[in-house]
Amino acid sequence: VFISQYAAGQKEALRAALMQKTQSAPVHKEVKVQLLGNASTERRGSVGRDPRLALREVDSATTIAAATAAAIATTAPLLRVQNDLEAQVNSVSELLQKLQETDRQLQRVSEQQINMRAQHEEPHCHQQVSELEKQMNAFMVQRIQHLEKLQEQQMNIQ
């Protein structure tokens, strides 16, 4: 862990550290801790105090800064991935809703067309359809019988 201190006006350095792209495979990283704040005023304020206490405060601040930097460095890519996934899920959800609405509209149109056809069709059309179905069934029975005869002949030949 590397620790650096920056003045309060250097937000760009922190942003640059947070915006680094990460690799998809787990990689060991060195995290550079950057303490934000004015280091010279902190030192001047601690002149009248016990040096051991000031050292402990610096060590404590350094530890906190290191832990914070490590947490940010490890969670920033995960948060980015989570945000990307949420955006993709939202777009897929929107597309799904559009598809469902389109499906409902198509079903309505289909039902309307069926209703219109049923109203315009005459009763003799239904009779013709029934006759055609009977003829198709008779033809299928003849076809099946013919195929059975062919199969029987083939078995005899074998």
Side-chain angles (χ1 to χ4, degrees), residues 76-140:
L78 296 175
L79 291 175
R80 250 185 265 125
V81 169
Q82 181 183 3
N83 289 338
D84 292 345
L85 286 175
E86 285 177 1
Q88 290 175 353
V89 166
N90 288 337
S91 67
V92 168
S93 176
E94 289 174 9
L95 290 173
L96 182 61
Q97 288 175 352
K98 288 178 183 178
L99 284 174
Q100 287 174 339
E101 182 59 32
T102 304
D103 186 45
R104 280 187 230 117
Q105 290 175 355
L106 287 174
Q107 286 178 349
R108 284 186 212 125
V109 168
S110 176
E111 289 172 2
Q112 289 174 353
Q113 288 177 348
I114 290 171
N115 290 337
M116 289 178 66
R117 286 181 191 157
Q119 290 173 355
H120 294 304
E121 286 182 353
E122 297 175 16
H124 76 278
C125 291
H126 293 293
Q127 291 173 351
Q128 289 178 345
V129 168
S130 297
E131 287 178 31
L132 287 173
E133 285 177 349
K134 289 177 187 175
Q135 289 176 0
M136 274 296 270
N137 287 336
F139 177 72
M140 290 299 288

Side-chain angles (χ1 to χ4, degrees), residues 2-11 13-14 32-39 42-43 57-69:
F2 292 103
I3 300 173
S4 303
Q5 282 190 319
Y6 289 93
Q10 295 180 333
K11 292 181 183 177
L14 180 61
K32 294 183 180 183
V33 178
Q34 302 167 352
L35 295 179
L36 299 177
N38 193 344
E42 288 177 8
R43 287 187 189 135
E57 287 177 3
V58 169
D59 286 344
S60 176
T62 303
T63 303
I64 291 170
T68 303

